[in-house]
Amino acid sequence: MPKDSGIGASIKRREDVRFLTGAGNYTDDINVAGQTYAYFLRSTVAHGKIVSVDTAAASKMPGVLRIFTGADFEAVGGLPCGWQITSRNGEVMKEPRHPILASGKVRHVGDPIAAVVAKSLAEARDAAEAIGVEIEELPAVVDMRAAISGAAPAVHDEAPDNLCYDWGFVEENREAVDAAIKSAHHVTTLELTNNRLVANPMEPRVAIGDFNRASGDSTLYTTSQNPHVIRLLMGAFVLGIPEHKLRVIAPDVGGGFGTKIFHYAEEAFCTFAAKALNKPVKWTADRSEAFITDAHGRDHVTKIELALDKDGKFLAIRTATLANMGAYLSTFAPSVPTWLHGTLMAGTYTTPLIYCNVKAVFTNTVPVDAYRGAGRPEATFQLERVIDKAAREMGIDPVEIRRRNFIPADAFPYQTPVAVAYDTGDYHATMDKLVEIADFAGFEARRAESAKRGKLRGLGLSSYIEACGIAPSNLVGQLGARAGLYESATVRVNAAGGIVVMTGSHSHGQGHETTFPQVIAEMFGCPEANVEIVHGDTGRGPMGMGTYGSRSIAVGGAAMVRAAEKIIAKAKRIASHLMEAAVEDVEFANGVFSVAGTDKKVDFGSVALAAYVPHNYPLESIEPGLEETAFYDPSNFTYPAGAYAAEVEVDPETGAVTLLAFSAADDFGNVINPMIVTGQVHGGIAQGIGQALLESAVYDANGQLLTGSYMDYAMPRADDLPMYAVDHSCQTPCTHNPLGVKGCGEAGAIGSPPALVNAVLDALNAGGIGVEHIDMPLSPSRVWAAIQSAK
Amino acid sequence: MTKISMKVNGEAVSGEVEGRTLLVQFLRDHLGLTGTHVGCDTGQCGACVVHVDGESVKACNMLAAAADGAEVMTIEGMAAPDGTLSVIQAAFQEHHGLQCGFCTPGMVMSAADLLNRNANPSEAEVRAYLEGNICRCTGYHNIVKAILAAAATLRGEAVAAE
């Protein structure tokens, strides 16, 4: 009988009612009395010197309050970068200034040159058209190899070779890796591109700045995954507003997928302009604007070499990656190709020697930063593709070659050669489950059936691991992070027993308002309906670090558990007084405090009431009230893992790929709400399929984004996708957080792209068409071209 | 400025709009009906779908003035006056057919339009009909399930739980 309450129950989401009735409160739904509207005039060229910006005529247009240019922001900070990487030669990365409005030069299409604030959006737009801008266009650099060739224009003067950093990991292993590859029985080499993507949450970004001259307080409403981090970055590093005079509110947020982590210029602009004009200033992105201002994702080019012995055992891995940073360093950009990527190159395998080199490159494109998975999909893609190629070259079944190299279930905790130590896992178990749910046994019969219809059927798989629950602060500090990555929670039990949890985690689709109360209900023995979750407002809870890296339940949930434990400990002391018993004898279960071996009991609500109406209360030893705060800093990452399979049919005449089935067997440790976890996997898989088959952000050689709208950037529609078979019954609980949870938000996007590509290559090769690799997205034209060149 | 009037969710409304004012702007900015969302500027995403005279329309692709005299239904008009969710809305909750909720109003309005036209759609027909509604969160699996379940309920068939 499935549970209907507490941890493990598939409770329906309480947030759905407002979203289903149009009562959600997204940032663009907020209108502040007297608000004005900002419109940004953006660069239409990828690289150029700003010769002049003439705002005289535009300033006189109807409704215009003021036009701002780069000169207005020279006295404030640039957008800060939250991570510093050190190059192999010991130098720190190049970190050019990222101004709020462009100053001197524009460096990508979309770079803001001026901003009009007017009484209406239409007036702001009209005035922007009347601004006279003279730009001396400079040659642009888009391709990473060209950028670092020595013959390319410099995006920033301080990085004349366009190199941000040149990182080696693990540097001490380099010679041993080289030697192992040189002497190996077999070496498989693969060059591949991890295609550039646009996250595209359905809600475009919005910012509203508001300033109260009487109190001197600034408020920013913004579409953010982490309002506290925005307050810290914008307040301390950009505008110089002390945190107690700045409130950041991220209400209902319509999807994030990483791209709403970062601090953006428009947030700082609206906050700054609201104070300068003493009026609220609202900005809402068009989708076209989102494409040229939201940080993009992925965009790596990698050469990977895998050395194997004669039995297919992995001996060493060497990779060389170029990672696109775009024109400026976004908030977390430097960490993505390094610490979120190199540390995952062991995958689920026992490979003893690993070396990664990553060169981060400036180009005249939109900044690139974390997108669902962030570094881990890139690592998984390389590994799972090169392993499949090695299996084909050596004549070993793709399941078998993985099994020969899996870290065995009895080897945990397992120290990898790339710094991280996995606490738990059972990769054979998830592979067994995958083989079952994807019906590997029946595949050859299905392949034969397709062949009768002239179609090539393929089955591809991948085994992924990710590092989630980001992250131990002292560890990431050593790795270059400039922030801590703990999480906070305050649990407030009110006098009549109602409970409010203020969490630093932020929900933008993950359903925290439903799942977090399940944990409290389990701990306090109360109905979920007694628990309210407050998030997304720096004015209503303690400093928190927000939601990304599948960290909400593993870190934010853990903080909530710690705070709730403090509540229970204090409540026991109060109960011991009320029951006139020793505190050691007080037990708490199902919402009732009792004394062992007696019939004395007092319920949770009575204890809460006593805490706030302390008439019969040990005031000399216990403070009144029942509210506790905890900050939880994890001692390790969590390591969700699993095995995925895609089954496809390729039309050899057209190159069209049809995805017939997709199966996922995941190990997320303990699961709070299986329905929601399944939904998270579905969504991740769809984004991974999108990357593999459809999506690509394409720039031309001049730095124009050719895929700048939903008419050009192909995201999966309902009729591109099948139903998915998803299983998370394999559970090896995390050993170092109190809930035993690992996180599930990114897995789907990490494991799915290589499974798709492996499936298409299986279809082609089994059909007698020898193709070693096709870069994503596997569009009909690319697959068709690969087929033709193999003939 | 043009004076327009129409019925929105059964209520007579009027307002003064510019010629360029879109129906979605009239609904959101003039009437405060912010359940209808804007997710793109090319008519692709479907977050703004409403019903105009019983047909689904992308409200970002229609001028407010063109809806003068029309009967418009938005997501705010879909539940019963006492707040009880419609069959389609309830099915979306039951089958976890939404995550961030941003595309949801358009999805519900499109689903209602589909089921008005076809009481017994196949899975493929549901997927094909949703071509004009993009969801980035759910991977569509649970949206399709929800719509098929709602169709069965509306036909009076018993629907198995999860």
Side-chain angles (χ1 to χ4, degrees):
Chain A
M1 180 77 185
K3 289 178 77 172
D4 59 6
S5 173
I7 292 172
S10 282
I11 292 174
K12 305 307 170 199
R13 299 201 325 169
R14 63 172 68 173
E15 39 280 83
D16 288 359
V17 175
R18 68 175 187 272
F19 296 146
L20 282 162
T21 56
N25 184 38
Y26 299 90
T27 308
D28 194 45
D29 301 342
I30 295 170
N31 294 296
V32 182
Q35 79 190 8
T36 61
Y37 297 83
Y39 182 81
F40 290 87
L41 180 68
R42 298 185 181 279
S43 179
T44 57
V45 301
H47 197 194
K49 193 169 163 244
I50 301 172
V51 179
S52 64
V53 181
D54 181 359
T55 61
S59 297
K60 296 189 187 108
M61 301 268 291
V64 173
L65 297 167
R66 185 167 158 188
I67 299 176
F68 295 81
T69 64
D72 293 301
F73 289 88
E74 274 164 15
V76 305
L79 295 173
C81 181
W83 209 293
Q84 186 177 61
I85 298 298
T86 302
S87 287
R88 296 167 56 203
N89 64 7
E91 287 179 20
V92 296
M93 68 183 193
K94 300 284 173 36
E95 195 172 354
R97 179 177 165 86
H98 186 182
I100 305 304
L101 295 177
S103 177
K105 272 174 90 178
V106 289
R107 293 185 174 85
H108 68 88
V109 171
D111 217 356
I113 299 165
V116 182
V117 179
K119 288 179 183 165
S120 75
L121 178 58
E123 287 167 328
R125 237 180 231 271
D126 290 347
E129 281 185 28
I131 297 173
V133 177
E134 193 186 336
I135 290 184
E136 181 191 324
E137 194 168 350
L138 300 169
V141 61
V142 171
D143 179 77
M144 286 190 282
R145 289 190 184 92
I148 57 169
S149 66
V155 179
H156 296 278
D157 293 343
E158 50 270 67
D161 51 2
N162 292 314
L163 196 61
C164 177
Y165 57 74
D166 178 356
W167 182 78
F169 181 71
V170 175
E171 199 59 35
E172 297 74 46
N173 288 350
R174 189 157 60 94
E175 285 177 16
V177 169
D178 290 348
I181 288 175
K182 205 168 175 185
S183 62
H185 168 81
H186 185 86
V187 178
T188 296
T189 303
L190 188 58
E191 291 188 39
L192 40 77
T193 297
N194 205 287
N195 41 327
R196 185 180 181 114
L197 302 175
V198 184
N200 273 312
M202 294 314 298
E203 178 205 31
R205 286 189 299 114
V206 182
I208 308 169
D210 192 12
F211 179 68
N212 183 327
R213 190 171 274 179
S215 66
D217 292 346
S218 293
T219 302
L220 170 69
Y221 302 87
T222 182
T223 48
S224 176
Q225 299 176 213
N226 43 351
H228 290 276
V229 175
I230 302 304
R231 183 182 65 166
L232 175 66
L233 294 177
M234 184 176 80
F237 298 101
V238 184
L239 299 180
I241 304 173
E243 282 160 301
H244 63 287
K245 305 305 279 181
L246 176 60
R247 180 176 177 188
V248 179
I249 299 171
D252 287 331
V253 172
F257 315 119
T259 205
K260 289 178 182 168
I261 299 171
F262 322 121
H263 177 36
Y264 286 97
E266 296 85 359
E267 296 171 320
F269 175 81
C270 289
T271 308
F272 179 92
K275 187 172 181 182
L277 296 167
N278 194 32
K279 288 180 193 305
V281 176
K282 181 174 188 174
W283 167 77
T284 301
D286 290 340
R287 179 58 61 185
S288 307
E289 198 174 16
F291 269 99
I292 54 170
T293 64
D294 291 3
H296 293 181
R298 314 282 192 262
D299 207 352
H300 289 191
V301 175
T302 295
K303 179 183 176 187
I304 181 167
E305 295 158 282
L306 170 66
L308 307 96
D309 73 9
K310 62 181 179 11
D311 300 319
K313 277 289 272 186
F314 306 158
L315 302 173
I317 290 169
R318 181 169 61 197
T319 73
T321 291
L322 298 180
N324 205 335
M325 295 286 104
Y328 303 99
L329 292 180
S330 177
T331 311
F332 283 140
S335 68
V336 174
T338 52
W339 300 112
L340 290 173
H341 170 244
T343 51
L344 273 299
M345 288 307 299
T348 50
Y349 311 106
T350 55
T351 317
L353 288 166
I354 296 171
Y355 179 74
C356 311
N357 173 240
V358 178
K359 292 185 173 73
V361 182
F362 291 114
T363 60
N364 292 114
T365 63
V366 172
V368 181
D369 205 329
Y371 163 60
R372 202 170 194 167
R376 292 152 288 173
E378 294 90 326
T380 303
F381 187 67
Q382 294 162 34
L383 266 182
E384 295 302 308
R385 284 287 304 114
V386 80
I387 290 168
D388 238 51
K389 186 172 180 224
R392 189 169 293 117
E393 287 172 354
M394 296 182 73
I396 306 173
D397 175 80
V399 174
E400 175 58 24
I401 196 170
R402 288 173 170 87
R403 286 194 188 279
R404 282 183 200 174
N405 288 282
F406 276 156
I407 298 162
D410 60 7
F412 293 89
Y414 181 81
Q415 177 62 54
T416 72
V418 277
V420 294
Y422 305 155
D423 58 343
T424 55
D426 187 346
Y427 313 132
H428 285 285
T430 44
M431 185 61 80
D432 289 344
K433 179 57 74 174
L434 179 75
V435 166
E436 174 198 328
I437 64 175
D439 186 23
F440 277 42
F443 174 71
E444 288 305 331
R446 297 194 293 278
R447 173 129 74 191
E449 187 278 326
S450 292
K452 279 186 203 156
R453 289 182 284 108
K455 298 289 168 58
L456 306 174
R457 200 172 185 116
L459 178 63
L461 75 147
S462 75
S463 170
Y464 79 90
I465 190 163
E466 50 174 334
C468 296
I470 292 172
S473 293
N474 56 1
L475 174 62
V476 295
Q478 290 166 28
L479 304 180
R482 290 164 167 161
L485 287 167
Y486 52 84
E487 194 49 272
S488 68
T490 294
V491 176
R492 175 182 298 159
V493 182
N494 290 311
I499 297 155
V500 181
V501 177
M502 283 146 274
T503 170
S505 297
H506 185 275
S507 180
H508 29 280
Q510 297 90 339
H512 297 174
E513 290 167 44
T514 300
T515 51
F516 280 39
Q518 291 182 242
V519 175
I520 295 292
E522 183 86 28
M523 292 181 73
F524 288 178
C526 65
E528 277 84 2
N530 288 15
V531 187
E532 195 69 23
I533 301 299
V534 172
H535 65 96
D537 184 347
T538 63
R540 295 183 69 192
M543 171 74 183
M545 294 307 292
T547 288
Y548 40 84
S550 305
R551 69 192 302 273
S552 292
I553 199 67
V555 189
M560 178 175 64
V561 168
R562 291 283 187 252
E565 286 169 349
K566 291 186 192 180
I567 293 277
I568 292 171
K570 181 173 180 180
K572 276 187 174 176
R573 294 173 64 205
I574 299 168
S576 81
H577 172 87
L578 295 175
M579 296 188 290
E580 296 174 340
V583 68
E584 307 80 58
D585 296 332
V586 175
E587 295 174 345
F588 179 60
N590 301 316
V592 176
F593 297 89
S594 58
V595 180
T598 74
D599 61 357
K600 287 182 180 175
K601 59 179 69 169
V602 56
D603 64 34
F604 190 83
S606 301
V607 172
L609 187 64
Y612 288 96
V613 188
H615 295 167
N616 171 21
Y617 194 90
L619 286 165
E620 65 288 350
S621 58
I622 309 177
E623 289 175 15
L626 200 51
E627 173 168 329
E628 298 288 349
T629 295
F631 283 72
Y632 177 83
D633 204 290
S635 61
N636 192 355
F637 294 89
T638 62
Y639 301 96
Y644 286 11
E647 192 162 329
V648 301
E649 217 169 56
V650 179
D651 183 336
E653 301 299 318
T654 65
V657 175
T658 304
L659 176 59
L660 301 170
F662 198 95
S663 307
D666 294 291
D667 175 0
F668 296 130
N670 294 335
V671 165
I672 308 300
N673 183 319
M675 175 193 81
I676 286 178
V677 167
T678 300
Q680 290 293 307
V681 177
H682 287 170
I685 290 171
Q687 290 185 9
I689 294 170
Q691 171 168 29
L693 296 183
L694 297 164
E695 297 180 38
S696 196
V698 179
Y699 279 93
D700 74 7
N702 299 318
Q704 293 293 334
L705 181 64
L706 300 179
T707 52
S709 80
Y710 285 166
M711 299 178 75
D712 316 291
Y713 185 90
M715 288 201 300
R717 307 310 210 257
D719 54 359
D720 294 313
L721 300 168
M723 291 293 191
Y724 321 105
V726 170
D727 181 282
H728 37 79
S729 63
C730 299
Q731 297 181 352
T732 59
C734 172
T735 55
H736 57 80
N737 66 44
L739 290 166
V741 292
K742 295 187 175 182
C744 65
E746 296 161 293
I750 295 171
S752 50
L756 254 296
V757 177
N758 288 342
V760 171
L761 293 173
D762 177 58
L764 297 179
N765 284 286
I769 303 167
V771 177
E772 289 186 345
H773 181 68
I774 309 173
D775 271 325
M776 301 185 290
L778 301 184
S779 60
S781 64
R782 284 190 179 180
V783 176
W784 183 85
I787 293 170
Q788 299 314 306
S789 60
K791 277 181 179 170
Chain B
M1 299 290 266
T2 311
K3 187 165 181 351
I4 57 168
S5 48
M6 62 187 80
K7 259 192 178 175
V8 177
N9 301 329
E11 207 173 303
V13 298
S14 60
E16 296 253 323
V17 298
E18 289 186 85
R20 61 182 165 184
T21 302
L22 301 169
L23 177 59
V24 70
Q25 293 168 329
F26 182 66
L27 294 171
R28 288 181 57 82
D29 302 340
H30 294 242
L31 303 182
L33 294 172
T34 54
T36 302
H37 296 152
V38 180
C40 75
D41 44 20
T42 52
Q44 309 288 302
C45 82
C48 66
V49 169
V50 299
H51 295 177
V52 177
D53 292 331
E55 304 257 324
S56 78
V57 161
K58 286 181 171 170
C60 74
N61 266 329
M62 183 175 196
L63 294 169
D68 187 32
E71 291 212 15
V72 176
M73 173 79 98
T74 72
I75 188 68
E76 286 90 348
M78 293 299 276
D82 71 353
T84 304
L85 298 180
S86 69
V87 168
I88 294 169
Q89 289 167 312
F92 269 69
Q93 183 178 32
E94 177 66 26
H95 294 278
H96 190 28
L98 65 154
Q99 290 181 24
C100 83
F102 195 81
C103 77
T104 306
M107 284 286 177
V108 169
M109 300 310 287
S110 279
D113 189 60
L114 166 64
L115 299 187
N116 282 340
R117 294 161 190 270
N118 180 354
N120 192 9
S122 66
E123 181 194 325
E125 285 171 331
V126 172
R127 288 182 181 276
Y129 193 81
L130 293 182
E131 173 74 24
N133 290 79
I134 304 178
C135 171
R136 193 59 157 165
C137 292
T138 64
Y140 303 100
H141 180 119
N142 286 343
I143 290 176
V144 174
K145 252 170 78 177
I147 294 172
L148 291 171
T153 303
L154 289 167
R155 291 193 307 271
E157 297 166 16
V159 182
E162 246 339 73

